[in-house]
Amino acid sequence: MSKHHVTTTINGDDVEFLCDPQETLLDVLRDRLGMTGSKEGCGTGDCGACTVNVDGKIVCACLMLGAEAEGRAISTIEGMAQGELLHPLQRKFLEHAALQCGICTPGILVAAKALLEENPDPSETEVRYWLAGNLCRCTGYDKIVRAVMDAAEEMRGRNYAA
Amino acid sequence: MVQVTLWGSLRDYADGAETLEAEGENIYQVLQDLGKKHPNLQPILKKGVTVSLDGQIYRQNLMQEVKPDSEVFLLPKMAGG
Amino acid sequence: MPLETDFPQNFEAREFKVVGKRPVRPDGVDKVTGRAKFGADAVAPGMLHAKILRSPHAHAKIVSIDTSKAEALAGVKAVVTRDDFPVHEAVKEDQELMSVLTNVMAREKALYDGHAVAAVAATDPRIAAQALKLIEVEYEVLDHVIDEDLAMQPDAPILHEHLGHEYGGGKPSNVAGVTEIGHGDVEKGFAEAEVIVERSFKTGAAHQGYIEPHACLANIGSDGRGELWCCTQGQFMVRDTCTQLLGMDVSNLRVTPSEIGGGFGGKTTVFIEPVAVALSRKAGKPVKIVMSRDEVFRATGPTASASLWIKVGAKKDGTITAADAILKYQGGAFPGSPVDMGAMASFACYALENVRAVGYDVVTNRPKQAAYRAPGAPMAAFAVESVISELAGELGMDPIDFRLKNAAGDGTKSSFGPTYDEIGLIETLEAAKKTEHYNSPLGPNQGRGVASGFWFNFGGQTAVSLNLNVDGTVALSVGTPDIGGSRASMCAMAAEELGCDYDDVYCIVADTASLGFNDVTDGSRVTFASGLATIQAARQAKQRMIDRAAKIWGIPSDAVKWENGAAHPSGPNAGEHEPLSIKDIAAMAGETGGPIAGHHEIAAEGAGPSFATHIVDAEIDRDTGRIDIKRYTVVQDAGKAVHPAYVEGQFQGGAVQGIGWALNEEYIYNDKGLLENPGFLDYRVPVASDLPMIETVIVEKPNPGHPYGVRGVGETSIVPPMGAIANAVSAAAKVRATEIPMSPPRMLKLLRDSEATAKAAE
């Protein structure tokens, strides 16, 4: 079976790759492009560890085929920090100890970033329901929710200042 | 000579005795002596037991000093998660 | 300088400069940017991908395996079956190792749905998957048994002919062992009781649920030497187990632990690692294996499911006179369920004159159990704490007051035998009673429950190495994988001892070739044991810096003192010298005698138990049976919280795992013994929208056996939740819930049955 040739944009960079028809976007990111920041926790879209942002919407990369990336704009955890500068969410996660083993962290950060882009002032309930598709087994979610709300507050302050 | 208390099911291997006497200056020697005096205990001792010495639980360090008035308990082998 | 083996280990009260604060962890940036490398993130040039063929039957004789067609498929480089795993000397004598070997690759029988039967390594994962389909296995399907009570029946299908002859009266049975603990005379005690509560309970098995599936990359050369990268709680355990199972010299395998995406005890053993090593050896190429989530559920160890009976009697004044328990745990297809520890932990919170707990270790056609956070204790605590609260209710006593009346304290003889040293249970009960939560009002259909719990906590073999860099920063190597943020605590303790900044210490988890043996990360032992070793290694390095300063100044070492991260002359004959900081001494190390380091190897003991009391408010929807956790507070004794944020994290994480186990998580088997819910959709762990914030109160009753008073905290937090939640739910539903999980269908049935009974009584 011949491979698909795909042209796409990942974290702002033009990317080209070949993939088997049945390879998922997650397989491509991890195995073809060496971008191992997105994790496979289940392969069936239940855990959110592979959350990426595709054309402004969060998606489980394990539920999308690599070939479907053609012509799209994809953002992953690797694109969240700007060089040395961490995104406020990343900083707040560290400050609040909102991670223990860290395997769910990339997926949750990508999902939380999308939340704050859509709703800069979410309530605790809104944060919890938005993140309901991202499983964490270590933290019990408490510090994660606090970190997201704290980051949201800082980002709102910045926007007003700007 | 120190008194060693056995956990419940271990007593079956010591003819029902709840406490036994053993000689030794450390846990290792005490266990060796118990095995010698009560051969039925040997397979279980070999598999491994946890020892409580004066309330402190020892999974492995058998060189801990045992005194004649020490409280020594043999407990089933334990592991955490 | 001679190795220090005797050192002061006892608690010394002091003011801390670094310990007790909340600095950012050293591996933090890597984890929030996706840089951190976990088990499945490693690659090697020329690497093969392996997949494992698993039994589709719960119990079957494996008559024959024909791998010829698979081997002939283009791209397949190696295939292994039971024939590639002969029983080596080390394994022959060791029942546990034999169980591990048989679990890693089935021998005469497939013992559970998902049991590994063969494995293939190929150039591409899709070719490996295709090759599995070409392996022809002839099975003779046998009757199976899933439930612990059924497995104990005389007519139950037998898993192992050599097992359980004592229980079976000379014939094989599925009861691998019986254990009993206790003291006093329970019959006499019950005779003295004025109120008795007796109940039976069932708890389902729960999986540790780590989000990262097992993954490893083995790379063995043609000389039989090589490396293994894997996510594990114990790289030394992996090395020793793999080499013993495969007949290799221990030094021929170097195991490097990756960052680990959750373990909770489930990664303190091996499943795929020996297979990867065997395939790599056979193919002469690196081999990567990553488990799918389906495989994790079908073939890796959850904890035991259990059938429990508890009877507790008390006088009207609230004094417990007798406590009795029968615990039946099934640990999957091999002996070794944690029923021993369950029996010991059952009544550990109480000071009792007459107590007994009997435990049965049962085998069934289910995956081999693995440790799960305080193995054996949560199920026992659920049953015991349910009865304790029910008894309090019958006596008209507040549930915390009833527990206080009977609580184990300093110097109490424990229910499992030894006398406790200094413990913090009473302090947690008193603190719980004072919380705003406990004194707040409840809403309609809501109930409040409390429960206490305990875990032994362990020490274990630990080795640490601490090296001074040329610029005065410190390189710290520990051998215990970091599953909860422990590296931050290690850095804090080293900095505290040396008097340097937290940021000057960088901690890594080393591979098996770089340090002495380390036991697995388990038993809540890392902050205690690796911490202890770190403190001692730092003290040794500090002493060497003192000696260097003394040499530089030409004065004796005992005329030098260490203060605020520098050597100072001390005493009347020391003379006048400018202090020498770590940075100064490090810069001169090469010229003054060579590299400066400290290290410490120890079989650490003296870990103190950690007690906890949890308070839960639960609300029941009487139309759907759904339980909502409205409020949750964890009160637990940490001895000394080295990094409070990570201590809180352990409290919260354990509590939420307990919530999942109590309310929703379960294994659903069909009538063929096949698992129907091997995925996160239907094995329902708590999600963010299920939960409130988890409030925490850290109690600090110092552990006399640690210089800072540290107690492990990671496991105790999962022990009280099921009991506390069952008590809250039973209060809300006004009927006692005795089956875990308290899922909506079960609660609905319980409500309907109790309504029917009430109607019938009218």
Side-chain angles (χ1 to χ4, degrees), chain C residues 381-404:
Chain C
F382 153 67
V384 170
E385 293 297 300
S386 295
V387 168
I388 293 286
S389 277
E390 195 175 342
L391 193 45
E394 302 259 324
L395 291 166
M397 282 180 80
D398 169 276
I400 291 188
D401 285 337
F402 181 54
R403 286 174 171 80
L404 277 167

Side-chain angles (χ1 to χ4, degrees), chain C residues 85-150:
Chain C
F85 292 90
V87 182
H88 291 279
E89 274 313 304
V91 180
K92 273 202 180 87
E93 304 299 313
D94 188 327
Q95 189 197 48
E96 179 54 27
L97 266 183
M98 192 64 211
S99 292
V100 172
L101 180 65
T102 311
N103 191 48
V104 160
M105 188 62 67
R107 307 186 78 79
E108 297 85 37
K109 292 206 283 186
L111 292 164
Y112 55 90
D113 166 31
H115 197 172
V117 171
V120 169
T123 52
D124 177 289
R126 285 158 283 282
I127 295 177
Q130 217 185 327
L132 287 190
K133 297 200 179 103
L134 298 174
I135 299 178
E136 290 166 351
V137 184
E138 200 190 323
Y139 293 101
E140 189 192 304
V141 179
L142 304 167
D143 286 335
H144 67 275
V145 62
I146 296 293
D147 172 85
E148 54 276 343
D149 289 311
L150 292 177

